[in-house]
Amino acid sequence: MRLLILILSCFILTSCVLPERILEKQGVSTAIGFDLIENNQIKGTISLLQFDPNMESSSQIISTVNGSSKNIRQSLENKTSHDISSGQLRSIIFNEELAREKGIKSLLDTFQRDSNIGSLLYLIISKPSSESIITSKNHEDLTDIGTYLYRLIEKHLKREKLTQCTLHDFLSLYYEVGIDPTLPVVTVRSKTSPYIKEVAVFKKDKMVGSISNDESIYLKMIHNPKRIIGLQQINIPKSHLEKNYISTKEMKDDYLKIMVQPIGANGNVTFSSIEKNDFNVNLSGSMIIYEMSEDLSLNNKNVKFLEKEISNYMENELDNLMKKLKTMQADPVGFGRVLKSKRMYSELTDEEWYDKYPQININTKVSFQIKRTGTNDK
């Protein structure tokens, strides 16, 4: 009896063994891109890492044309002798035309259902085409564009101006009422590495516009407070210096240009009046001055002057950004989220919010103090 149980156990255990995967037969996908082409078709391009010692290159680029992401992935499988593995997929790239005209949610469906793919891979918009990004050879990680893009986005998320742009973050914001996603826009030029050109703004899953990297710094200060943010240039008019009795005789330009880095920034959005639809956006914190275009004495008086001028400059930039986003009818700030948190608006829908959004009033307030001058931690 014991022998019979032992034999049956062996059969059961062997039936649970995972399928054998031979390394040399694997094609590890690290980046995949989608481009809208003629006749409303979609071109898919994938970068594969291969471990076959008989091959001249460890990286292979494959392209195919179809109507859906699932069919594209199946068609790509048919174009290689390797088994395409998606477990190391780092980036999904959509060209701008596709993101604007068709939206990207339907193309993400097959990826979010794939248990081999983590939700922490990055989503990227390309300009002009995702194929041009994936086939680019001018980058440090010569054999793998997927790793390069992952490191590029990761670096900017940690120390620069991007807000979170993973598959998980995008889908979370897509399904949430009262806030819209943003994604980085990557481009490439002749003899240059792919780089982040700007930030795409979405309304649900369609791209409706873009903002500059400098403008996106304000979104990061709102959504990722108390973190070190990327450098920003502040321009103070020469006339403002003269009004405060600061000598400008040696100035060669009409502006005092200052490179600053906000640290410990604290941003918040509040709803101040139900009757007037008034919202407040407040930013405060400290900043480091890295560089000034003119030799200005940083005594107490001048430091107070610079703090006021820098805060006013940033407040004007923030105000212009709010107007720009309202023109796009997109809400990456999350005003609708704040409104929905109020009991009387707890049942707010996307349609109701998008109807209400153009009529809201947004008041901005920025106040920063200079913490250090002439200091560089890098």
Side-chain angles (χ1 to χ4, degrees), residues 195-206:
Y195 63 95
I196 298 174
K197 180 181 181 181
E198 56 194 5
V199 173
V201 177
F202 281 74
K203 181 177 181 180
K204 301 307 291 180
D205 75 323
K206 287 188 175 182

mmCIF file with all atom_site columns, all heavy atoms in Angstrom, residues 195-206:
data_model
loop_
_atom_site.group_PDB
_atom_site.id
_atom_site.type_symbol
_atom_site.label_atom_id
_atom_site.label_alt_id
_atom_site.label_comp_id
_atom_site.label_asym_id
_atom_site.label_entity_id
_atom_site.label_seq_id
_atom_site.pdbx_PDB_ins_code
_atom_site.Cartn_x
_atom_site.Cartn_y
_atom_site.Cartn_z
_atom_site.occupancy
_atom_site.B_iso_or_equiv
_atom_site.pdbx_formal_charge
_atom_site.auth_seq_id
_atom_site.auth_comp_id
_atom_site.auth_asym_id
_atom_site.auth_atom_id
_atom_site.pdbx_PDB_model_num
ATOM 1   N N   . TYR A 1 195 ? 15.709  60.935 -26.032 1.00 0.00 ? 195 TYR A N   1
ATOM 2   C CA  . TYR A 1 195 ? 15.632  61.780 -24.845 1.00 0.00 ? 195 TYR A CA  1
ATOM 3   C C   . TYR A 1 195 ? 14.188  62.207 -24.598 1.00 0.00 ? 195 TYR A C   1
ATOM 4   O O   . TYR A 1 195 ? 13.341  62.132 -25.493 1.00 0.00 ? 195 TYR A O   1
ATOM 5   C CB  . TYR A 1 195 ? 16.533  63.008 -24.994 1.00 0.00 ? 195 TYR A CB  1
ATOM 6   C CG  . TYR A 1 195 ? 16.136  63.936 -26.132 1.00 0.00 ? 195 TYR A CG  1
ATOM 7   C CD1 . TYR A 1 195 ? 15.317  65.047 -25.908 1.00 0.00 ? 195 TYR A CD1 1
ATOM 8   C CD2 . TYR A 1 195 ? 16.577  63.699 -27.434 1.00 0.00 ? 195 TYR A CD2 1
ATOM 9   C CE1 . TYR A 1 195 ? 14.948  65.883 -26.942 1.00 0.00 ? 195 TYR A CE1 1
ATOM 10  C CE2 . TYR A 1 195 ? 16.218  64.530 -28.470 1.00 0.00 ? 195 TYR A CE2 1
ATOM 11  C CZ  . TYR A 1 195 ? 15.401  65.635 -28.225 1.00 0.00 ? 195 TYR A CZ  1
ATOM 12  O OH  . TYR A 1 195 ? 15.030  66.460 -29.259 1.00 0.00 ? 195 TYR A OH  1
ATOM 13  N N   . ILE A 1 196 ? 13.919  62.667 -23.388 1.00 0.00 ? 196 ILE A N   1
ATOM 14  C CA  . ILE A 1 196 ? 12.570  63.088 -23.010 1.00 0.00 ? 196 ILE A CA  1
ATOM 15  C C   . ILE A 1 196 ? 12.365  64.530 -23.470 1.00 0.00 ? 196 ILE A C   1
ATOM 16  O O   . ILE A 1 196 ? 13.013  65.452 -22.973 1.00 0.00 ? 196 ILE A O   1
ATOM 17  C CB  . ILE A 1 196 ? 12.351  62.960 -21.499 1.00 0.00 ? 196 ILE A CB  1
ATOM 18  C CG1 . ILE A 1 196 ? 12.490  61.495 -21.082 1.00 0.00 ? 196 ILE A CG1 1
ATOM 19  C CG2 . ILE A 1 196 ? 10.970  63.488 -21.111 1.00 0.00 ? 196 ILE A CG2 1
ATOM 20  C CD1 . ILE A 1 196 ? 12.431  61.273 -19.586 1.00 0.00 ? 196 ILE A CD1 1
ATOM 21  N N   . LYS A 1 197 ? 11.466  64.725 -24.419 1.00 0.00 ? 197 LYS A N   1
ATOM 22  C CA  . LYS A 1 197 ? 11.251  66.038 -25.018 1.00 0.00 ? 197 LYS A CA  1
ATOM 23  C C   . LYS A 1 197 ? 10.237  66.858 -24.228 1.00 0.00 ? 197 LYS A C   1
ATOM 24  O O   . LYS A 1 197 ? 10.412  68.058 -24.017 1.00 0.00 ? 197 LYS A O   1
ATOM 25  C CB  . LYS A 1 197 ? 10.763  65.868 -26.459 1.00 0.00 ? 197 LYS A CB  1
ATOM 26  C CG  . LYS A 1 197 ? 10.504  67.188 -27.173 1.00 0.00 ? 197 LYS A CG  1
ATOM 27  C CD  . LYS A 1 197 ? 10.009  66.955 -28.591 1.00 0.00 ? 197 LYS A CD  1
ATOM 28  C CE  . LYS A 1 197 ? 9.781   68.289 -29.300 1.00 0.00 ? 197 LYS A CE  1
ATOM 29  N NZ  . LYS A 1 197 ? 9.266   68.082 -30.681 1.00 0.00 ? 197 LYS A NZ  1
ATOM 30  N N   . GLU A 1 198 ? 9.146   66.220 -23.787 1.00 0.00 ? 198 GLU A N   1
ATOM 31  C CA  . GLU A 1 198 ? 8.064   66.907 -23.092 1.00 0.00 ? 198 GLU A CA  1
ATOM 32  C C   . GLU A 1 198 ? 7.205   65.865 -22.384 1.00 0.00 ? 198 GLU A C   1
ATOM 33  O O   . GLU A 1 198 ? 7.593   64.696 -22.272 1.00 0.00 ? 198 GLU A O   1
ATOM 34  C CB  . GLU A 1 198 ? 7.231   67.724 -24.096 1.00 0.00 ? 198 GLU A CB  1
ATOM 35  C CG  . GLU A 1 198 ? 6.673   66.893 -25.241 1.00 0.00 ? 198 GLU A CG  1
ATOM 36  C CD  . GLU A 1 198 ? 6.161   67.746 -26.390 1.00 0.00 ? 198 GLU A CD  1
ATOM 37  O OE1 . GLU A 1 198 ? 6.332   68.979 -26.339 1.00 0.00 ? 198 GLU A OE1 1
ATOM 38  O OE2 . GLU A 1 198 ? 5.592   67.170 -27.342 1.00 0.00 ? 198 GLU A OE2 1
ATOM 39  N N   . VAL A 1 199 ? 6.051   66.278 -21.921 1.00 0.00 ? 199 VAL A N   1
ATOM 40  C CA  . VAL A 1 199 ? 5.153   65.370 -21.201 1.00 0.00 ? 199 VAL A CA  1
ATOM 41  C C   . VAL A 1 199 ? 3.774   65.409 -21.856 1.00 0.00 ? 199 VAL A C   1
ATOM 42  O O   . VAL A 1 199 ? 3.209   66.494 -22.071 1.00 0.00 ? 199 VAL A O   1
ATOM 43  C CB  . VAL A 1 199 ? 5.046   65.761 -19.712 1.00 0.00 ? 199 VAL A CB  1
ATOM 44  C CG1 . VAL A 1 199 ? 3.981   64.922 -19.008 1.00 0.00 ? 199 VAL A CG1 1
ATOM 45  C CG2 . VAL A 1 199 ? 6.399   65.586 -19.025 1.00 0.00 ? 199 VAL A CG2 1
ATOM 46  N N   . ALA A 1 200 ? 3.248   64.245 -22.206 1.00 0.00 ? 200 ALA A N   1
ATOM 47  C CA  . ALA A 1 200 ? 1.933   64.141 -22.840 1.00 0.00 ? 200 ALA A CA  1
ATOM 48  C C   . ALA A 1 200 ? 0.839   64.179 -21.786 1.00 0.00 ? 200 ALA A C   1
ATOM 49  O O   . ALA A 1 200 ? 0.949   63.537 -20.743 1.00 0.00 ? 200 ALA A O   1
ATOM 50  C CB  . ALA A 1 200 ? 1.837   62.846 -23.651 1.00 0.00 ? 200 ALA A CB  1
ATOM 51  N N   . VAL A 1 201 ? -0.222  64.918 -22.080 1.00 0.00 ? 201 VAL A N   1
ATOM 52  C CA  . VAL A 1 201 ? -1.380  65.027 -21.180 1.00 0.00 ? 201 VAL A CA  1
ATOM 53  C C   . VAL A 1 201 ? -2.537  64.243 -21.794 1.00 0.00 ? 201 VAL A C   1
ATOM 54  O O   . VAL A 1 201 ? -2.843  64.409 -22.986 1.00 0.00 ? 201 VAL A O   1
ATOM 55  C CB  . VAL A 1 201 ? -1.780  66.499 -20.972 1.00 0.00 ? 201 VAL A CB  1
ATOM 56  C CG1 . VAL A 1 201 ? -3.020  66.594 -20.091 1.00 0.00 ? 201 VAL A CG1 1
ATOM 57  C CG2 . VAL A 1 201 ? -0.624  67.283 -20.353 1.00 0.00 ? 201 VAL A CG2 1
ATOM 58  N N   . PHE A 1 202 ? -3.171  63.407 -20.977 1.00 0.00 ? 202 PHE A N   1
ATOM 59  C CA  . PHE A 1 202 ? -4.260  62.556 -21.449 1.00 0.00 ? 202 PHE A CA  1
ATOM 60  C C   . PHE A 1 202 ? -5.600  62.996 -20.867 1.00 0.00 ? 202 PHE A C   1
ATOM 61  O O   . PHE A 1 202 ? -5.664  63.536 -19.755 1.00 0.00 ? 202 PHE A O   1
ATOM 62  C CB  . PHE A 1 202 ? -4.013  61.099 -21.052 1.00 0.00 ? 202 PHE A CB  1
ATOM 63  C CG  . PHE A 1 202 ? -3.031  60.391 -21.939 1.00 0.00 ? 202 PHE A CG  1
ATOM 64  C CD1 . PHE A 1 202 ? -1.675  60.672 -21.853 1.00 0.00 ? 202 PHE A CD1 1
ATOM 65  C CD2 . PHE A 1 202 ? -3.451  59.446 -22.869 1.00 0.00 ? 202 PHE A CD2 1
ATOM 66  C CE1 . PHE A 1 202 ? -0.759  60.034 -22.674 1.00 0.00 ? 202 PHE A CE1 1
ATOM 67  C CE2 . PHE A 1 202 ? -2.555  58.803 -23.691 1.00 0.00 ? 202 PHE A CE2 1
ATOM 68  C CZ  . PHE A 1 202 ? -1.202  59.096 -23.592 1.00 0.00 ? 202 PHE A CZ  1
ATOM 69  N N   . LYS A 1 203 ? -6.643  62.766 -21.645 1.00 0.00 ? 203 LYS A N   1
ATOM 70  C CA  . LYS A 1 203 ? -8.015  62.816 -21.150 1.00 0.00 ? 203 LYS A CA  1
ATOM 71  C C   . LYS A 1 203 ? -8.550  61.404 -21.311 1.00 0.00 ? 203 LYS A C   1
ATOM 72  O O   . LYS A 1 203 ? -8.763  60.947 -22.430 1.00 0.00 ? 203 LYS A O   1
ATOM 73  C CB  . LYS A 1 203 ? -8.857  63.815 -21.937 1.00 0.00 ? 203 LYS A CB  1
ATOM 74  C CG  . LYS A 1 203 ? -10.291 63.929 -21.447 1.00 0.00 ? 203 LYS A CG  1
ATOM 75  C CD  . LYS A 1 203 ? -11.055 65.000 -22.225 1.00 0.00 ? 203 LYS A CD  1
ATOM 76  C CE  . LYS A 1 203 ? -12.495 65.128 -21.724 1.00 0.00 ? 203 LYS A CE  1
ATOM 77  N NZ  . LYS A 1 203 ? -13.236 66.169 -22.480 1.00 0.00 ? 203 LYS A NZ  1
ATOM 78  N N   . LYS A 1 204 ? -8.704  60.699 -20.179 1.00 0.00 ? 204 LYS A N   1
ATOM 79  C CA  . LYS A 1 204 ? -8.925  59.254 -20.187 1.00 0.00 ? 204 LYS A CA  1
ATOM 80  C C   . LYS A 1 204 ? -7.744  58.586 -20.902 1.00 0.00 ? 204 LYS A C   1
ATOM 81  O O   . LYS A 1 204 ? -6.623  58.757 -20.482 1.00 0.00 ? 204 LYS A O   1
ATOM 82  C CB  . LYS A 1 204 ? -10.273 58.905 -20.814 1.00 0.00 ? 204 LYS A CB  1
ATOM 83  C CG  . LYS A 1 204 ? -11.456 59.524 -20.098 1.00 0.00 ? 204 LYS A CG  1
ATOM 84  C CD  . LYS A 1 204 ? -11.472 59.232 -18.592 1.00 0.00 ? 204 LYS A CD  1
ATOM 85  C CE  . LYS A 1 204 ? -11.759 57.779 -18.264 1.00 0.00 ? 204 LYS A CE  1
ATOM 86  N NZ  . LYS A 1 204 ? -11.777 57.534 -16.801 1.00 0.00 ? 204 LYS A NZ  1
ATOM 87  N N   . ASP A 1 205 ? -7.964  57.877 -22.019 1.00 0.00 ? 205 ASP A N   1
ATOM 88  C CA  . ASP A 1 205 ? -6.822  57.164 -22.629 1.00 0.00 ? 205 ASP A CA  1
ATOM 89  C C   . ASP A 1 205 ? -6.335  57.816 -23.915 1.00 0.00 ? 205 ASP A C   1
ATOM 90  O O   . ASP A 1 205 ? -5.503  57.248 -24.626 1.00 0.00 ? 205 ASP A O   1
ATOM 91  C CB  . ASP A 1 205 ? -7.201  55.707 -22.902 1.00 0.00 ? 205 ASP A CB  1
ATOM 92  C CG  . ASP A 1 205 ? -8.124  55.536 -24.110 1.00 0.00 ? 205 ASP A CG  1
ATOM 93  O OD1 . ASP A 1 205 ? -8.995  56.417 -24.295 1.00 0.00 ? 205 ASP A OD1 1
ATOM 94  O OD2 . ASP A 1 205 ? -7.982  54.555 -24.842 1.00 0.00 ? 205 ASP A OD2 1
ATOM 95  N N   . LYS A 1 206 ? -6.824  59.033 -24.230 1.00 0.00 ? 206 LYS A N   1
ATOM 96  C CA  . LYS A 1 206 ? -6.388  59.720 -25.435 1.00 0.00 ? 206 LYS A CA  1
ATOM 97  C C   . LYS A 1 206 ? -5.527  60.932 -25.085 1.00 0.00 ? 206 LYS A C   1
ATOM 98  O O   . LYS A 1 206 ? -5.861  61.711 -24.191 1.00 0.00 ? 206 LYS A O   1
ATOM 99  C CB  . LYS A 1 206 ? -7.585  60.170 -26.277 1.00 0.00 ? 206 LYS A CB  1
ATOM 100 C CG  . LYS A 1 206 ? -8.288  59.036 -27.001 1.00 0.00 ? 206 LYS A CG  1
ATOM 101 C CD  . LYS A 1 206 ? -9.332  59.572 -27.967 1.00 0.00 ? 206 LYS A CD  1
ATOM 102 C CE  . LYS A 1 206 ? -9.965  58.438 -28.785 1.00 0.00 ? 206 LYS A CE  1
ATOM 103 N NZ  . LYS A 1 206 ? -10.943 58.947 -29.764 1.00 0.00 ? 206 LYS A NZ  1
#
